[in-house]
Coordinates of all heavy atoms in Angstrom, one line a residue:
M20 N 84.5 78.9 109.3 CA 85.9 78.7 110.0 C 86.0 79.8 111.0 O 86.0 81.0 110.6 CB 87.0 78.8 108.9 CG 87.0 77.6 107.9 SD 87.4 76.1 108.7 CE 89.0 75.8 108.0
S21 N 86.3 79.5 112.2 CA 86.4 80.5 113.2 C 87.9 80.7 113.6 O 88.2 81.6 114.4 CB 85.6 80.1 114.5 OG 86.1 78.8 115.0
H22 N 88.8 79.9 113.1 CA 90.2 80.0 113.4 C 90.8 81.3 112.8 O 90.6 81.5 111.5 CB 91.0 78.8 113.0 CG 90.6 77.6 113.8 ND1 90.9 77.5 115.2 CD2 90.1 76.4 113.4 CE1 90.4 76.4 115.5 NE2 90.0 75.7 114.6
V23 N 91.5 82.1 113.6 CA 92.1 83.3 113.0 C 93.5 83.0 112.7 O 94.0 83.4 111.7 CB 91.9 84.4 114.1 CG1 92.7 85.7 113.5 CG2 90.5 84.7 114.3
T24 N 94.2 82.3 113.6 CA 95.6 82.0 113.4 C 95.8 80.9 112.4 O 95.2 79.8 112.5 CB 96.3 81.6 114.7 OG1 95.9 82.5 115.7 CG2 97.7 81.5 114.6
K25 N 96.6 81.1 111.4 CA 96.9 80.1 110.4 C 98.0 79.2 111.0 O 99.0 79.6 111.4 CB 97.4 80.8 109.1 CG 97.6 79.8 108.0 CD 98.1 80.5 106.8 CE 98.6 79.6 105.8 NZ 100.0 79.3 106.0
E26 N 97.6 77.9 111.0 CA 98.6 76.9 111.4 C 99.5 76.5 110.3 O 99.0 76.2 109.2 CB 97.9 75.7 112.0 CG 97.3 76.0 113.4 CD 96.7 74.8 114.0 OE1 96.1 74.0 113.2 OE2 96.7 74.6 115.2
E27 N 100.7 76.4 110.5 CA 101.7 75.9 109.5 C 101.6 74.3 109.6 O 101.6 73.8 110.6 CB 103.1 76.4 109.8 CG 103.2 77.9 109.7 CD 103.2 78.4 108.3 OE1 103.1 77.6 107.4 OE2 103.3 79.6 108.1
I28 N 101.6 73.8 108.4 CA 101.6 72.3 108.3 C 103.0 71.9 107.9 O 103.7 72.5 107.1 CB 100.5 71.9 107.3 CG1 99.2 72.3 107.7 CG2 100.6 70.4 107.1 CD1 98.7 71.9 109.0
C29 N 103.3 70.7 108.4 CA 104.6 70.1 108.2 C 104.9 70.0 106.6 O 104.0 69.6 105.9 CB 104.6 68.7 108.8 SG 106.2 67.8 108.6
D30 N 106.1 70.3 106.3 CA 106.4 70.3 104.8 C 107.0 69.0 104.3 O 107.4 68.9 103.2 CB 107.5 71.4 104.5 CG 106.9 72.8 104.6 OD1 105.8 72.9 104.1 OD2 107.6 73.7 105.0
V31 N 107.0 68.0 105.2 CA 107.5 66.7 104.7 C 106.4 66.0 103.9 O 105.2 66.0 104.3 CB 107.9 65.8 105.9 CG1 108.3 64.4 105.4 CG2 109.1 66.5 106.6
D32 N 106.8 65.5 102.8 CA 105.9 64.8 101.8 C 105.1 63.8 102.6 O 105.6 62.9 103.3 CB 106.7 64.2 100.7 CG 105.8 63.7 99.6 OD1 104.8 64.5 99.3 OD2 106.0 62.7 99.0
G33 N 103.7 63.9 102.4 CA 102.9 62.8 103.0 C 102.5 63.1 104.5 O 101.8 62.3 105.0
C34 N 103.0 64.2 105.0 CA 102.7 64.5 106.4 C 101.8 65.7 106.5 O 102.0 66.7 105.8 CB 104.0 64.8 107.1 SG 103.7 65.1 108.9
D35 N 100.7 65.7 107.3 CA 99.8 66.8 107.4 C 99.6 67.2 108.9 O 98.6 67.8 109.3 CB 98.4 66.5 106.8 CG 97.8 65.2 107.4 OD1 98.4 64.7 108.4 OD2 96.7 64.8 106.9
K36 N 100.6 67.0 109.7 CA 100.6 67.4 111.1 C 101.0 68.9 111.2 O 101.6 69.4 110.3 CB 101.6 66.6 111.9 CG 101.2 65.2 112.1 CD 102.1 64.4 112.9 CE 101.8 62.9 113.0 NZ 103.0 62.2 113.6
V37 N 100.6 69.5 112.3 CA 100.9 70.9 112.6 C 102.4 71.0 112.8 O 103.0 70.3 113.6 CB 100.1 71.4 113.8 CG1 100.5 72.8 114.1 CG2 98.6 71.3 113.5
A38 N 103.0 72.0 112.1 CA 104.4 72.2 112.3 C 104.7 73.0 113.5 O 104.0 73.9 113.9 CB 105.0 73.0 111.0
E39 N 105.8 72.6 114.2 CA 106.3 73.3 115.4 C 107.6 74.0 115.2 O 107.9 74.8 116.0 CB 106.4 72.3 116.5 CG 105.1 71.6 116.8 CD 105.1 71.2 118.2 OE1 106.1 71.0 118.9 OE2 103.9 71.0 118.8
R40 N 108.3 73.7 114.1 CA 109.6 74.3 114.0 C 109.7 74.8 112.6 O 109.2 74.2 111.6 CB 110.7 73.2 114.2 CG 110.6 72.4 115.4 CD 111.1 73.2 116.6 NE 110.9 72.5 117.8 CZ 111.5 72.8 119.0 NH1 112.3 73.9 119.0 NH2 111.3 72.2 120.1
S41 N 110.5 75.8 112.4 CA 110.8 76.4 111.1 C 112.3 76.4 110.9 O 113.1 76.9 111.7 CB 110.3 77.8 111.0 OG 110.6 78.4 109.8
L42 N 112.8 75.8 109.9 CA 114.2 75.6 109.7 C 114.7 75.9 108.3 O 113.8 76.0 107.4 CB 114.6 74.1 110.0 CG 114.3 73.7 111.4 CD1 113.8 72.2 111.4 CD2 115.6 73.8 112.2
N43 N 116.0 76.2 108.2 CA 116.6 76.4 106.9 C 116.5 75.2 106.1 O 116.8 74.1 106.6 CB 118.0 76.9 107.1 CG 118.5 77.5 105.8 OD1 118.6 76.8 104.8 ND2 118.9 78.8 105.8
I44 N 116.2 75.3 104.8 CA 116.0 74.1 104.0 C 117.3 73.4 103.8 O 117.4 72.2 103.6 CB 115.4 74.4 102.6 CG1 114.9 73.1 101.9 CG2 116.3 75.2 101.8 CD1 114.0 73.4 100.8
K45 N 118.4 74.1 103.9 CA 119.7 73.5 103.7 C 120.0 72.3 104.7 O 120.5 71.3 104.4 CB 120.9 74.6 104.0 CG 121.3 75.3 102.7 CD 122.5 76.1 103.1 CE 123.3 76.4 101.8 NZ 124.5 77.2 102.1
K46 N 119.6 72.6 106.0 CA 119.7 71.6 107.0 C 118.8 70.3 106.7 O 119.3 69.2 106.8 CB 119.3 72.1 108.4 CG 120.5 72.8 109.1 CD 121.6 71.8 109.4 CE 122.9 72.5 109.8 NZ 124.0 71.7 109.7
V47 N 117.7 70.6 106.2 CA 116.7 69.5 105.9 C 117.2 68.7 104.8 O 117.0 67.5 104.7 CB 115.3 70.1 105.7 CG1 114.3 69.0 105.5 CG2 114.9 70.9 107.0
S48 N 117.8 69.4 103.8 CA 118.2 68.7 102.6 C 119.4 67.8 102.8 O 119.7 66.9 102.0 CB 118.5 69.7 101.5 OG 119.6 70.5 101.9
E49 N 120.0 67.9 104.0 CA 121.1 67.0 104.3 C 120.5 65.7 104.9 O 121.3 64.7 105.2 CB 122.0 67.7 105.3 CG 122.8 68.8 104.8 CD 123.5 69.6 105.9 OE1 123.5 69.1 107.0 OE2 124.0 70.7 105.6
T50 N 119.2 65.6 105.1 CA 118.7 64.5 105.8 C 117.9 63.6 104.7 O 117.9 64.0 103.6 CB 117.7 64.9 106.9 OG1 116.6 65.4 106.3 CG2 118.4 65.8 107.8
S51 N 117.3 62.5 105.2 CA 116.5 61.7 104.3 C 115.1 62.2 104.1 O 114.3 61.6 103.3 CB 116.5 60.3 104.8 OG 115.9 60.2 106.0
L52 N 114.7 63.3 104.8 CA 113.4 63.8 104.6 C 113.1 64.3 103.2 O 113.9 65.0 102.6 CB 113.2 64.9 105.6 CG 113.3 64.5 107.1 CD1 113.2 65.7 108.0 CD2 112.2 63.5 107.5
I53 N 111.9 63.9 102.7 CA 111.5 64.4 101.4 C 110.4 65.5 101.6 O 109.4 65.3 102.3 CB 111.0 63.2 100.6 CG1 112.1 62.2 100.3 CG2 110.4 63.6 99.3 CD1 111.7 60.9 99.7
L54 N 110.6 66.6 100.9 CA 109.8 67.7 101.1 C 108.7 67.8 100.0 O 108.9 67.5 98.9 CB 110.6 69.0 101.1 CG 111.7 69.0 102.2 CD1 112.6 70.2 102.1 CD2 111.0 69.0 103.6
K55 N 107.6 68.5 100.4 CA 106.6 68.7 99.4 C 107.0 69.7 98.4 O 106.7 69.7 97.2 CB 105.3 69.3 100.1 CG 104.6 68.2 101.0 CD 103.6 68.9 101.9 CE 103.0 68.0 102.9 NZ 102.3 68.6 104.0
N56 N 107.7 70.8 98.9 CA 108.2 71.8 98.0 C 109.7 72.0 98.2 O 110.2 72.8 99.1 CB 107.5 73.1 98.4 CG 107.9 74.3 97.5 OD1 108.6 74.1 96.5 ND2 107.5 75.5 97.9
P57 N 110.5 71.4 97.4 CA 112.0 71.4 97.6 C 112.6 72.8 97.2 O 113.7 73.0 97.4 CB 112.5 70.4 96.6 CG 111.3 69.6 96.2 CD 110.1 70.5 96.3
D58 N 111.8 73.6 96.6 CA 112.2 75.0 96.2 C 112.0 76.0 97.3 O 112.5 77.1 97.2 CB 111.5 75.4 95.0 CG 111.9 74.6 93.8 OD1 113.0 74.1 93.8 OD2 111.0 74.4 92.9
A59 N 111.4 75.7 98.4 CA 111.1 76.6 99.5 C 112.5 77.0 100.2 O 113.4 76.2 100.1 CB 110.2 76.0 100.5
R60 N 112.5 78.1 100.8 CA 113.7 78.5 101.5 C 113.7 78.1 102.9 O 114.7 77.7 103.5 CB 113.9 80.0 101.4 CG 114.7 80.4 100.2 CD 115.2 81.9 100.3 NE 114.1 82.8 100.3 CZ 114.3 84.1 100.6 NH1 115.5 84.5 100.9 NH2 113.2 84.9 100.6
S61 N 112.5 78.1 103.5 CA 112.4 77.6 104.9 C 111.5 76.4 104.9 O 110.6 76.3 104.1 CB 112.0 78.7 105.8 OG 110.7 79.1 105.6
V62 N 111.7 75.6 105.9 CA 110.9 74.3 106.0 C 110.2 74.3 107.3 O 110.9 74.5 108.4 CB 111.8 73.1 105.8 CG1 111.0 71.8 106.0 CG2 112.5 73.2 104.5
H63 N 109.0 73.9 107.3 CA 108.2 73.8 108.6 C 108.2 72.3 108.9 O 107.8 71.5 108.1 CB 106.8 74.4 108.5 CG 106.8 75.8 108.3 ND1 106.7 76.4 107.0 CD2 107.0 76.9 109.2 CE1 106.8 77.7 107.2 NE2 106.9 78.0 108.4
L64 N 108.5 71.9 110.2 CA 108.5 70.5 110.5 C 107.6 70.3 111.8 O 107.6 71.1 112.7 CB 109.9 70.0 110.8 CG 110.9 70.0 109.7 CD1 112.2 69.5 110.2 CD2 110.4 69.1 108.5
C65 N 106.9 69.2 111.8 CA 106.2 68.8 112.9 C 107.2 68.2 113.9 O 108.3 68.0 113.7 CB 105.1 67.7 112.5 SG 105.8 66.2 112.0
K66 N 106.6 67.9 115.1 CA 107.4 67.4 116.2 C 108.2 66.1 115.8 O 109.4 66.0 116.0 CB 106.5 67.0 117.4 CG 107.1 67.6 118.7 CD 106.1 67.1 119.8 CE 105.8 68.2 120.7 NZ 104.7 67.8 121.7
D67 N 107.5 65.2 115.1 CA 108.1 63.9 114.8 C 109.2 64.1 113.8 O 110.3 63.5 113.9 CB 107.0 63.0 114.2 CG 106.0 62.6 115.2 OD1 106.3 62.9 116.4 OD2 105.0 62.1 114.9
H68 N 109.0 64.9 112.7 CA 110.0 65.0 111.7 C 111.2 65.9 112.2 O 112.3 65.7 111.7 CB 109.4 65.6 110.5 CG 108.6 64.6 109.7 ND1 107.3 64.6 109.3 CD2 109.1 63.4 109.2 CE1 106.9 63.6 108.7 NE2 108.0 62.8 108.6
Y69 N 110.9 66.8 113.2 CA 112.0 67.5 113.7 C 112.9 66.6 114.5 O 114.1 66.8 114.5 CB 111.4 68.6 114.7 CG 112.5 69.4 115.3 CD1 113.2 70.4 114.6 CD2 112.8 69.3 116.7 CE1 114.2 71.2 115.2 CE2 113.8 70.0 117.2 CZ 114.5 71.0 116.5 OH 115.4 71.7 117.1
K70 N 112.3 65.6 115.2 CA 113.1 64.6 115.9 C 114.0 63.9 115.0 O 115.2 63.6 115.2 CB 112.1 63.7 116.6 CG 112.2 63.7 118.1 CD 111.3 62.6 118.7 CE 110.3 63.2 119.7 NZ 109.4 62.2 120.2
I71 N 113.4 63.5 113.8 CA 114.2 62.7 112.8 C 115.3 63.6 112.3 O 116.5 63.2 112.2 CB 113.3 62.3 111.7 CG1 112.3 61.2 112.2 CG2 114.1 61.7 110.5 CD1 111.2 60.8 111.2
L72 N 115.0 64.8 112.0 CA 116.0 65.8 111.5 C 117.2 65.9 112.5 O 118.3 65.9 112.2 CB 115.4 67.2 111.3 CG 116.4 68.2 110.8 CD1 116.5 68.2 109.4 CD2 115.9 69.6 111.3
K73 N 116.8 66.1 113.8 CA 117.8 66.2 114.8 C 118.7 65.0 114.9 O 119.9 65.1 115.1 CB 117.1 66.5 116.2 CG 117.7 67.6 116.9 CD 116.9 68.0 118.2 CE 117.7 69.0 118.9 NZ 117.1 69.4 120.2
K74 N 118.1 63.9 114.8 CA 118.8 62.6 114.8 C 119.8 62.5 113.7 O 121.0 62.2 113.8 CB 117.8 61.4 114.8 CG 118.3 60.2 115.4 CD 117.4 59.0 115.2 CE 116.7 58.6 116.4 NZ 115.7 57.5 116.1
E75 N 119.3 62.9 112.5 CA 120.2 62.7 111.3 C 121.2 63.8 111.2 O 122.2 63.6 110.5 CB 119.3 62.7 110.1 CG 118.4 61.5 110.0 CD 117.8 61.2 108.7 OE1 118.1 61.9 107.7 OE2 117.0 60.3 108.6
T76 N 121.0 64.9 111.8 CA 122.0 65.9 111.8 C 122.8 66.0 113.1 O 123.6 66.8 113.4 CB 121.4 67.3 111.7 OG1 120.5 67.6 112.6 CG2 120.7 67.4 110.3
K77 N 122.6 64.9 113.9 CA 123.3 64.8 115.2 C 123.2 66.0 116.1 O 124.1 66.4 116.7 CB 124.8 64.4 114.9 CG 125.0 63.2 114.1 CD 126.5 62.8 114.0 CE 126.7 61.5 113.3 NZ 126.4 61.5 111.9
G78 N 122.0 66.6 116.1 CA 121.7 67.7 117.0 C 122.4 69.0 116.6 O 122.3 69.9 117.4
D79 N 123.0 69.0 115.4 CA 123.6 70.2 115.0 C 122.8 71.2 114.4 O 123.0 71.7 113.3 CB 124.8 69.8 113.9 CG 125.5 70.9 113.5 OD1 125.7 71.9 114.3 OD2 126.1 70.9 112.4
I80 N 121.7 71.5 115.0 CA 120.8 72.6 114.5 C 120.2 73.4 115.7 O 119.9 72.8 116.8 CB 119.6 72.0 113.7 CG1 119.1 70.7 114.4 CG2 120.0 71.7 112.3 CD1 117.8 70.3 113.8
P81 N 120.0 74.6 115.5 CA 119.3 75.4 116.6 C 117.8 75.1 116.7 O 117.3 74.5 115.7 CB 119.5 76.8 116.1 CG 119.6 76.7 114.6 CD 120.3 75.4 114.3
D82 N 117.2 75.4 117.8 CA 115.8 75.1 117.9 C 114.9 75.9 116.9 O 114.0 75.4 116.3 CB 115.3 75.4 119.3 CG 115.7 74.3 120.3 OD1 116.2 73.2 119.7 OD2 115.5 74.4 121.5
Y83 N 115.3 77.1 116.8 CA 114.5 78.0 115.9 C 115.4 78.8 115.0 O 116.5 79.2 115.4 CB 113.6 78.9 116.6 CG 112.4 78.3 117.2 CD1 112.4 77.8 118.5 CD2 111.3 78.1 116.5 CE1 111.3 77.2 119.0 CE2 110.2 77.5 116.9 CZ 110.2 77.1 118.3 OH 109.0 76.4 118.8
L84 N 115.0 79.1 113.8 CA 115.7 80.0 112.9 C 114.6 81.1 112.6 O 113.7 80.8 112.0 CB 116.2 79.4 111.7 CG 117.4 78.5 111.8 CD1 117.8 77.9 110.5 CD2 118.6 79.3 112.3
G85 N 114.9 82.3 113.0 CA 114.0 83.4 112.6 C 112.7 83.4 113.4 O 112.4 82.4 114.1
Ligands
ZN124 ZN1 105.8 65.9 109.7

């Protein structure tokens, strides 16, 4: 393995895409998304699932947290 940077993988159950966003789990738990680890404090989402989250929360989330 020559990769040095660890890529975060989407935390949605059944998804193995590279995560692009990190969000508070509170926001994600308000949506229909099912997470691999519901006990985590922050959630990593891929582009597609971030889109779904944004739709379901009516855009009421910042692009990045932390
Ligand atoms: Zn995903």
Side-chain angles (χ1 to χ4, degrees):
M20 296 291 251
S21 59
H22 291 298
V23 178
T24 309
K25 183 177 167 276
E26 285 182 328
E27 297 285 359
I28 301 300
C29 182
D30 284 324
V31 175
D32 192 36
C34 184
D35 58 2
K36 289 182 187 169
V37 175
E39 299 210 336
R40 310 281 179 165
S41 177
L42 294 142
N43 192 298
I44 195 166
K45 267 189 161 185
K46 274 294 167 198
V47 181
S48 64
E49 290 170 10
T50 71
S51 63
L52 297 177
I53 296 172
L54 302 172
K55 291 170 191 165
N56 179 12
D58 296 326
R60 268 196 295 171
S61 66
V62 179
H63 297 96
L64 294 180
C65 67
K66 228 184 225 172
D67 292 349
H68 282 122
Y69 181 74
K70 246 185 232 173
I71 293 172
L72 177 86
K73 223 170 175 182
K74 208 188 247 177
E75 295 196 6
T76 57
K77 299 185 175 74
D79 183 29
I80 43 168
D82 278 355
Y83 283 98
L84 285 181

